[in-house]
Amino acid sequence: MTLASDAAGLLDRIDLGAVTPRRVGRLAAYDGLMLEATGLSQPVGAAVRVIDDEGRPARAEVVGFKNGRTLLMALDGDAPHRAGARVEPDARGGSAEVGEALLGRVVDALGNPLDGLGPIGAHHRAPLAGRRSNPLDRARVTEAFDMGVRAVNALFTAGVGQRIAICAGSGVGKSVLMGQMIQGADCDVVVVGLVGERSREVSDFLATKLSGPVRDKSVVVAVPADHPPVLRLRAAMRATAIAEYFRDQGLKVLLLIDSLTRVAHAQREIGLSLGEPPTMKGYPPSALGLIPRLVERAGADSRSGGSITALYTVLADGDDTDDPIVDAARSIVDGHIVLSRALAERGVFPAIDVGKSLSRVMSDIVAPEHAAAAAMCKRLWSIYEENRDLVLMGAYAQGSDPMIDAAIAHQPVILDFISQPAKAQIDMAQSIADLVERFGG
């Protein structure tokens, strides 16, 4: 009798109106990587789990709705799905593990360790999609960021909190230049997102470009090209979320995404699967709209004093620098470095096209003497390129124009200045001194 009365009293104290039932659905259709579920009420971007007959979960993400059904994109491409399988929400799927425990580790798009060093053990979480911030909380770029590459430091000086795109065709040296910048960067934390690359390049990147002391302050998120598009997209979002956490701690973070084009390709696959109309060169609107949403998450934070200086490699398909993805990236970043295949074929590394590259914050962070020397170098480069055909054909007569004569004389000097061995590091002070010595006055 006492037990019954205690139970009744306990039931009376429970507020049944405050209890929210957990909505679960059932798998109704499966076509490739696209799944359809009924009875599931989750917003776009939410994570879910599809439970098989043996109780093993397969992860998926809500990407849209159609005819009263919820559309899901599978994260596990080889999972044994069956009709009527239970589909339940995954509360932790929309966030990323963050924290100091990630330093020195390599994880996949879901946060699982790839380096064989055991569980991560990070105790903090951050939303994969980031938090919408007040634009007035974004600090101005007023401090130079030492990249360790002479041509970048001197001619296209980067700033703390700047976003830079490295644009080039395949095989011109984007990843090698990025690795050189990692070794020479003056920062507290390095976060690298290797998205859609070859599996061989992932291990090669770790062995050659993240070797030595820089490995201990680095976090790598790696998803090769053969993974589902949602995982490739999540890799870029996870890397950015990790960088945001360290920025909120007041640290100076270097974020590298290789490559932004592969991220856009992943979004294109998802968009076309959902029936989005292809617009420019087969890219649906969501693929082009993804770039500013991802890039705008980087930058300096005036509240914490931390910063994310971001480098994004952008693949120019067919060496077309007017490709929609290249153009969209170039329009939203604070500077771009264009690599020339012609220079690379002549053995120049880094093969930076001086005339087409730009740093939009350089005028705010360099001294007048430095700015004047950089402007002179760029002017001599442009004059030579404008008259290159005349010079090579022998149609230009020496002495006809003093500036063309100077440009011809300085062309070997400029090529020597921008050239730098892949494993060499030249700091900011030395880069500026070399520039002023050769092109100042």
Side-chain angles (χ1 to χ4, degrees), residues 147-149 166 173-185 190 192 194 204-206 208-211 214 218 254 256 258 311 313 349 420-425:
M147 290 289 186
V149 179
I166 303 176
K174 298 184 300 299
S175 298
V176 178
L177 177 59
M178 177 178 283
Q180 190 175 26
M181 290 178 173
I182 291 175
Q183 294 292 333
V190 177
V192 182
L194 300 177
D204 180 74
F205 192 95
L206 296 175
T208 61
K209 302 173 181 63
L210 275 182
S211 58
V214 71
S218 301
L254 177 64
L256 305 103
D258 186 12
L311 295 173
T313 63
F349 177 84
Q420 180 177 332
K423 295 184 178 181
Q425 301 297 320

Side-chain angles (χ1 to χ4, degrees), residues 6 30 45 61-62 105 121 163 212-213 226 290 319 322 324 357 359-361 386:
D6 289 345
Y30 176 43
E61 180 177 314
V62 178
R105 303 301 302 271
R163 290 83 52 87
D226 59 342
L290 169 69
D319 290 334
D322 293 325
S357 303
S359 173
R360 291 189 172 97
V361 305
E386 290 172 2

